Amino acid sequence: MENQEINLLKRFFMKTIKITFILLLFSFKFFALTYTSVGCPANWSGFNSSCPFFNGGTRLDFQPTPGDILTIPSGCTVTVIGVITVNNDITLIMNGQLKFSGLNDQLHLSSGTTIIVNSGGSISGVDNSNKIKIGTGSAEWSGPGTNFGPFTLVNETFLPIELVYFTGKLTPDNRVNIAWQTATESNNNYFEIERSENGIDFITISEIKSKSENGNSLKTLNYQMIDINTLPGISYYRLKQVDFDGYFTYSNVESIEWHAKGEIKIVPNPIDQLCTIKFEEGNSIKQLEIFNSIGEIVKTISLMDLTQKTIQLDFFNMATGIYYLKADGSILKQKLVKL
């Protein structure tokens, strides 16, 4: 009896191990991965033993699976050699350069592929026979010359939304009004608003659900989002559309320039115990707020006299770390470092 129970347990564990192994194989096969080009400058002639794209120690010497991401990092140049065909929908991200140096070099991509060229990235070719084609339509990019990012290439007939416009405007109270309109939507799940300080590194600041019924619409839909944390200088905004299958596309990039009313200087910074805030000429700031790194207000200063040129702050009872200033509700560029 005891041996029979042991045998039953053995069979159970063996069956469990087999099922787990099959599930692992399935997940490895269909889970989207990110591959990065290495050994730059590098030549790309297809998915073979010389393919420059790696995921860890795994070379992409086989066709990428749907949803995979191929990245050319900043400072890297990848030159297309011959005609490369990608059978599945992927995302190709360029922070570096994609180059076509021969007359017959081409990149043929499947209909749902998205090419994102970030600021600092580029596509270059020697003449108009060097093309990027997405789907079976006309070329999405042809030389000669070099096109610098940021821009996005997609197959217009494959887009899950028909975007009429995407705009960003500074409001009178120094906030950024983001607005966009779609003419049609198909399988559209939600939108993300992304913002960047340098045009390269974007973060998601808001997520907006589709207004369409079950992701599908044949009528005009309007969307809006207000960014209350305006960044000083130039900020970059883009719209990311995500469908129910997890695929996504990007809009054009909008830039917004804003400067705080009355520049300030902080001395010393980093701070030991005390610091002085010096206002430049033309100051019209009425209130300063100091936030800690998790967004809590730790100090508020009201400026009753707008001709005031300096304010002294004490940090005696404040913890070591990084703090940020807000002037009249808008984030200033300066940050405070408490030693």
Side-chain angles (χ1 to χ4, degrees):
M1 186 69 181
E2 186 176 337
N3 290 334
Q4 188 177 0
E5 290 178 352
I6 292 173
N7 288 331
L8 286 173
L9 284 173
K10 282 182 178 180
R11 289 178 185 175
F12 173 77
F13 283 122
M14 288 301 294
K15 198 172 285 187
T16 303
I17 291 170
K18 284 181 181 179
I19 293 171
T20 304
F21 181 71
I22 291 170
L23 289 174
L24 284 172
L25 284 177
F26 184 85
S27 64
F28 282 137
K29 184 176 180 181
F30 295 102
F31 187 79
L33 297 173
T34 297
Y35 296 88
T36 303
S37 57
V38 300
C40 299
N43 292 332
W44 184 18
S45 59
F47 303 104
N48 47 45
S49 59
S50 62
C51 180
F53 291 95
F54 281 80
N55 174 263
T58 303
R59 183 191 295 272
L60 188 60
D61 55 5
F62 48 87
Q63 280 284 336
T65 58
D68 281 354
I69 299 172
L70 275 58
T71 299
I72 300 176
S74 178
C76 175
T77 297
V78 172
T79 301
V80 173
I81 305 295
V83 178
I84 300 175
T85 301
V86 183
N87 298 328
N88 295 312
D89 298 341
I90 64 169
T91 300
L92 180 58
I93 300 176
M94 273 166 268
N95 297 312
Q97 182 185 38
L98 182 69
K99 184 178 180 181
F100 298 85
S101 61
L103 298 180
N104 298 313
D105 300 331
Q106 296 179 359
L107 187 58
H108 293 176
L109 305 165
S110 62
S111 298
T113 291
T114 300
I115 297 178
I116 302 166
V117 184
N118 289 317
S119 181
S122 64
I123 302 175
S124 67
V126 295
D127 77 1
N128 60 10
S129 67
N130 302 298
K131 300 174 182 178
I132 295 176
K133 184 178 285 189
I134 303 177
T136 58
S138 59
E140 267 65 44
W141 188 89
S142 299
T146 301
N147 289 110
F148 294 94
F151 64 89
T152 301
L153 297 176
V154 293
N155 181 356
E156 296 294 337
T157 61
F158 193 79
L159 282 176
I161 64 167
E162 184 182 349
L163 186 65
V164 179
Y165 63 80
F166 171 72
T167 62
K169 293 182 179 180
L170 194 65
T171 65
D173 58 351
N174 298 322
R175 301 182 178 192
V176 179
N177 181 19
I178 302 295
W180 65 99
Q181 184 183 86
T182 62
T184 61
E185 297 186 16
S186 175
N187 197 37
N188 181 34
N189 190 1
Y190 62 91
F191 300 93
E192 291 181 4
I193 307 299
E194 297 185 344
R195 184 182 67 197
S196 171
E197 295 185 63
N198 55 17
I200 300 175
D201 305 306
F202 284 84
I203 62 170
T204 300
I205 60 172
S206 182
E207 182 177 307
I208 308 291
K209 270 306 262 190
S210 168
K211 291 183 178 180
S212 58
E213 184 176 351
N214 299 319
N216 302 303
S217 172
L218 295 176
K219 63 181 181 180
T220 299
L221 296 175
N222 295 295
Y223 297 86
Q224 185 182 38
M225 174 264 173
I226 303 293
D227 182 11
I228 62 174
N229 293 319
T230 313
L231 299 178
I234 300 177
S235 299
Y236 302 88
Y237 294 85
R238 69 185 182 189
L239 181 71
K240 179 180 179 180
Q241 176 278 325
V242 183
D243 66 24
F244 284 99
D245 300 318
Y247 293 110
F248 57 88
T249 58
Y250 284 106
S251 71
N252 57 292
V253 175
E254 286 285 300
S255 60
I256 300 293
E257 185 170 4
W258 173 77
H259 297 283
K261 301 173 292 181
E263 296 295 327
I264 67 174
K265 293 181 179 179
I266 305 166
V267 289
N269 193 15
I271 303 160
D272 184 14
Q273 300 292 348
L274 293 169
C275 78
T276 300
I277 296 180
K278 297 182 178 181
F279 297 93
E280 293 185 356
E281 207 64 43
N283 166 54
S284 60
I285 296 172
K286 298 178 181 179
Q287 181 174 274
L288 290 175
E289 293 174 317
I290 299 177
F291 289 76
N292 60 20
S293 59
I294 60 174
E296 298 172 334
I297 299 176
V298 295
K299 195 179 289 284
T300 300
I301 304 101
S302 296
L303 306 180
M304 306 304 294
D305 183 2
L306 297 184
T307 64
Q308 198 170 351
K309 295 294 185 289
T310 63
I311 291 177
Q312 194 170 61
L313 297 178
D314 73 81
F315 280 72
F316 292 109
N317 298 318
M318 294 173 69
T320 300
I322 297 175
Y323 296 85
Y324 298 91
L325 284 176
K326 271 191 178 181
D328 294 340
S330 296
I331 297 176
L332 290 175
K333 193 170 186 177
Q334 293 90 339
K335 63 181 178 182
L336 303 163
V337 180
K338 171 67 166 63
L339 297 177

